[in-house]
Short mmCIF file of all heavy atoms in Angstrom, two decimals:
data_model
loop_
_atom_site.label_atom_id
_atom_site.label_comp_id
_atom_site.label_asym_id
_atom_site.label_seq_id
_atom_site.Cartn_x
_atom_site.Cartn_y
_atom_site.Cartn_z
N THR F 186 1.25 0.63 6.75
CA THR F 186 1.71 1.84 7.43
C THR F 186 1.96 1.52 8.90
O THR F 186 1.67 0.42 9.38
CB THR F 186 0.67 2.96 7.31
OG1 THR F 186 -0.59 2.49 7.79
CG2 THR F 186 0.52 3.42 5.87
N VAL F 187 2.49 2.49 9.63
CA VAL F 187 2.75 2.34 11.06
C VAL F 187 1.60 2.97 11.82
O VAL F 187 1.37 4.17 11.72
CB VAL F 187 4.09 3.00 11.44
CG1 VAL F 187 4.34 2.86 12.93
CG2 VAL F 187 5.23 2.40 10.63
N ARG F 188 0.88 2.15 12.60
CA ARG F 188 -0.34 2.67 13.22
C ARG F 188 -0.50 2.27 14.69
O ARG F 188 -1.50 2.58 15.29
CB ARG F 188 -1.58 2.16 12.46
CG ARG F 188 -1.59 2.46 10.99
CD ARG F 188 -2.87 1.97 10.31
NE ARG F 188 -3.09 0.56 10.48
CZ ARG F 188 -2.51 -0.39 9.75
NH1 ARG F 188 -1.65 -0.05 8.80
NH2 ARG F 188 -2.77 -1.67 9.95
N MET F 189 0.48 1.58 15.26
CA MET F 189 0.32 1.08 16.62
C MET F 189 1.48 1.50 17.51
O MET F 189 2.58 1.75 17.03
CB MET F 189 0.21 -0.46 16.62
CG MET F 189 -1.01 -1.00 15.89
SD MET F 189 -1.08 -2.81 15.89
CE MET F 189 -1.43 -3.14 17.61
N GLY F 190 1.22 1.56 18.80
CA GLY F 190 2.27 1.73 19.79
C GLY F 190 2.94 3.08 19.82
O GLY F 190 3.96 3.25 20.48
N GLY F 191 2.42 4.04 19.09
CA GLY F 191 3.05 5.35 19.08
C GLY F 191 4.34 5.40 18.30
O GLY F 191 5.11 6.35 18.40
N TYR F 192 4.62 4.37 17.52
CA TYR F 192 5.85 4.34 16.74
C TYR F 192 5.77 5.34 15.59
O TYR F 192 4.71 5.52 14.98
CB TYR F 192 6.12 2.93 16.20
CG TYR F 192 6.24 1.89 17.28
CD1 TYR F 192 5.33 0.85 17.37
CD2 TYR F 192 7.26 1.97 18.22
CE1 TYR F 192 5.43 -0.10 18.37
CE2 TYR F 192 7.36 1.03 19.23
CZ TYR F 192 6.45 0.00 19.30
OH TYR F 192 6.54 -0.93 20.30
N LYS F 193 6.91 5.92 15.29
CA LYS F 193 6.96 6.91 14.22
C LYS F 193 7.66 6.30 13.00
O LYS F 193 8.38 5.33 13.09
CB LYS F 193 7.71 8.15 14.69
CG LYS F 193 7.03 8.87 15.86
CD LYS F 193 7.84 10.09 16.28
CE LYS F 193 7.16 10.79 17.44
NZ LYS F 193 7.93 11.98 17.89
N GLY F 194 7.45 6.93 11.87
CA GLY F 194 8.09 6.47 10.66
C GLY F 194 7.08 6.18 9.58
O GLY F 194 5.96 5.74 9.86
N ALA F 195 7.43 6.47 8.36
CA ALA F 195 6.55 6.22 7.23
C ALA F 195 7.37 5.53 6.15
O ALA F 195 7.89 6.17 5.23
CB ALA F 195 5.97 7.54 6.70
N PRO F 196 7.55 4.21 6.27
CA PRO F 196 8.38 3.51 5.29
C PRO F 196 7.76 3.55 3.89
O PRO F 196 6.54 3.58 3.73
CB PRO F 196 8.43 2.08 5.82
CG PRO F 196 7.18 1.94 6.64
CD PRO F 196 6.95 3.29 7.25
N LEU F 197 8.62 3.57 2.89
CA LEU F 197 8.17 3.45 1.51
C LEU F 197 7.49 2.10 1.34
O LEU F 197 8.00 1.07 1.78
CB LEU F 197 9.36 3.55 0.56
CG LEU F 197 9.09 3.25 -0.91
CD1 LEU F 197 8.22 4.34 -1.54
CD2 LEU F 197 10.40 3.09 -1.68
N ARG F 198 6.32 2.08 0.70
CA ARG F 198 5.63 0.82 0.43
C ARG F 198 6.00 0.35 -0.97
O ARG F 198 5.91 1.11 -1.94
CB ARG F 198 4.12 1.01 0.56
CG ARG F 198 3.69 1.43 1.96
CD ARG F 198 2.22 1.75 2.04
NE ARG F 198 1.85 2.87 1.18
CZ ARG F 198 0.63 3.41 1.15
NH1 ARG F 198 -0.31 2.94 1.93
NH2 ARG F 198 0.38 4.42 0.35
N VAL F 199 6.42 -0.90 -1.06
CA VAL F 199 6.85 -1.47 -2.34
C VAL F 199 6.00 -2.69 -2.64
O VAL F 199 5.81 -3.55 -1.77
CB VAL F 199 8.34 -1.86 -2.30
CG1 VAL F 199 8.78 -2.45 -3.64
CG2 VAL F 199 9.21 -0.66 -1.93
N VAL F 200 5.50 -2.76 -3.86
CA VAL F 200 4.70 -3.91 -4.30
C VAL F 200 5.39 -4.55 -5.50
O VAL F 200 5.66 -3.88 -6.50
CB VAL F 200 3.27 -3.51 -4.69
CG1 VAL F 200 2.48 -4.74 -5.11
CG2 VAL F 200 2.57 -2.80 -3.53
N ALA F 201 5.70 -5.83 -5.39
CA ALA F 201 6.23 -6.59 -6.52
C ALA F 201 5.03 -7.11 -7.30
O ALA F 201 4.31 -8.00 -6.85
CB ALA F 201 7.10 -7.74 -6.05
N ASP F 202 4.79 -6.54 -8.46
CA ASP F 202 3.55 -6.77 -9.22
C ASP F 202 3.88 -6.83 -10.71
O ASP F 202 3.78 -5.82 -11.41
CB ASP F 202 2.57 -5.62 -8.90
CG ASP F 202 1.28 -5.71 -9.70
OD1 ASP F 202 1.03 -6.75 -10.32
OD2 ASP F 202 0.55 -4.70 -9.70
N SER F 203 4.28 -7.98 -11.19
CA SER F 203 4.79 -8.10 -12.56
C SER F 203 3.80 -7.60 -13.60
O SER F 203 4.18 -6.97 -14.59
CB SER F 203 5.18 -9.55 -12.86
OG SER F 203 4.07 -10.41 -12.66
N GLY F 204 2.50 -7.84 -13.39
CA GLY F 204 1.52 -7.48 -14.40
C GLY F 204 0.78 -6.18 -14.15
O GLY F 204 -0.23 -5.90 -14.81
N ALA F 205 1.24 -5.39 -13.20
CA ALA F 205 0.58 -4.11 -12.85
C ALA F 205 -0.89 -4.33 -12.52
O ALA F 205 -1.77 -3.58 -12.97
CB ALA F 205 0.74 -3.10 -13.98
N ARG F 206 -1.15 -5.32 -11.68
CA ARG F 206 -2.54 -5.64 -11.31
C ARG F 206 -2.98 -4.93 -10.03
O ARG F 206 -4.11 -5.14 -9.56
CB ARG F 206 -2.69 -7.15 -11.13
CG ARG F 206 -2.52 -7.95 -12.42
CD ARG F 206 -2.86 -9.40 -12.19
NE ARG F 206 -1.89 -10.05 -11.32
CZ ARG F 206 -2.16 -11.11 -10.54
NH1 ARG F 206 -3.40 -11.58 -10.47
NH2 ARG F 206 -1.21 -11.64 -9.80
N THR F 207 -2.14 -4.12 -9.43
CA THR F 207 -2.52 -3.41 -8.21
C THR F 207 -3.74 -2.53 -8.48
O THR F 207 -3.69 -1.64 -9.33
CB THR F 207 -1.36 -2.52 -7.72
OG1 THR F 207 -0.22 -3.35 -7.44
CG2 THR F 207 -1.75 -1.75 -6.48
N PRO F 208 -4.85 -2.77 -7.79
CA PRO F 208 -6.07 -1.98 -8.04
C PRO F 208 -5.85 -0.50 -7.70
O PRO F 208 -5.23 -0.17 -6.69
CB PRO F 208 -7.10 -2.61 -7.11
CG PRO F 208 -6.58 -3.99 -6.82
CD PRO F 208 -5.09 -3.85 -6.81
N VAL F 209 -6.35 0.37 -8.54
CA VAL F 209 -6.17 1.80 -8.30
C VAL F 209 -6.93 2.26 -7.06
O VAL F 209 -6.63 3.32 -6.51
CB VAL F 209 -6.62 2.62 -9.53
CG1 VAL F 209 -5.70 2.37 -10.71
CG2 VAL F 209 -8.07 2.33 -9.89
N GLN F 210 -7.91 1.47 -6.60
CA GLN F 210 -8.65 1.82 -5.40
C GLN F 210 -8.14 1.10 -4.16
O GLN F 210 -8.74 1.20 -3.09
CB GLN F 210 -10.14 1.50 -5.60
CG GLN F 210 -10.80 2.30 -6.71
CD GLN F 210 -10.65 3.80 -6.51
OE1 GLN F 210 -10.73 4.30 -5.39
NE2 GLN F 210 -10.40 4.53 -7.60
N SER F 211 -7.03 0.39 -4.29
CA SER F 211 -6.48 -0.31 -3.14
C SER F 211 -5.86 0.67 -2.16
O SER F 211 -5.55 1.82 -2.50
CB SER F 211 -5.41 -1.32 -3.60
OG SER F 211 -4.33 -0.64 -4.22
N ARG F 212 -5.64 0.22 -0.95
CA ARG F 212 -5.09 1.10 0.07
C ARG F 212 -3.66 1.52 -0.23
O ARG F 212 -3.26 2.65 0.07
CB ARG F 212 -5.15 0.41 1.44
CG ARG F 212 -6.58 0.25 1.97
CD ARG F 212 -6.58 -0.53 3.27
NE ARG F 212 -7.91 -0.59 3.86
CZ ARG F 212 -8.23 -1.28 4.94
NH1 ARG F 212 -7.29 -1.99 5.56
NH2 ARG F 212 -9.45 -1.28 5.40
#
């Protein structure tokens, strides 16, 4: 996410994860 310098914007986060291993409790 954008958290420094007063910059604005909320870009879409994209994860390339072939096996769907992204933990459900991950950030």
Side-chain angles (χ1 to χ4, degrees):
T186 55
V187 179
R188 305 182 302 279
M189 296 179 70
Y192 301 116
K193 298 180 180 179
L197 172 69
R198 298 174 298 185
V199 180
V200 181
D202 176 12
S203 58
R206 293 187 292 153
T207 300
V209 293
Q210 297 304 321
S211 62
R212 291 176 175 175

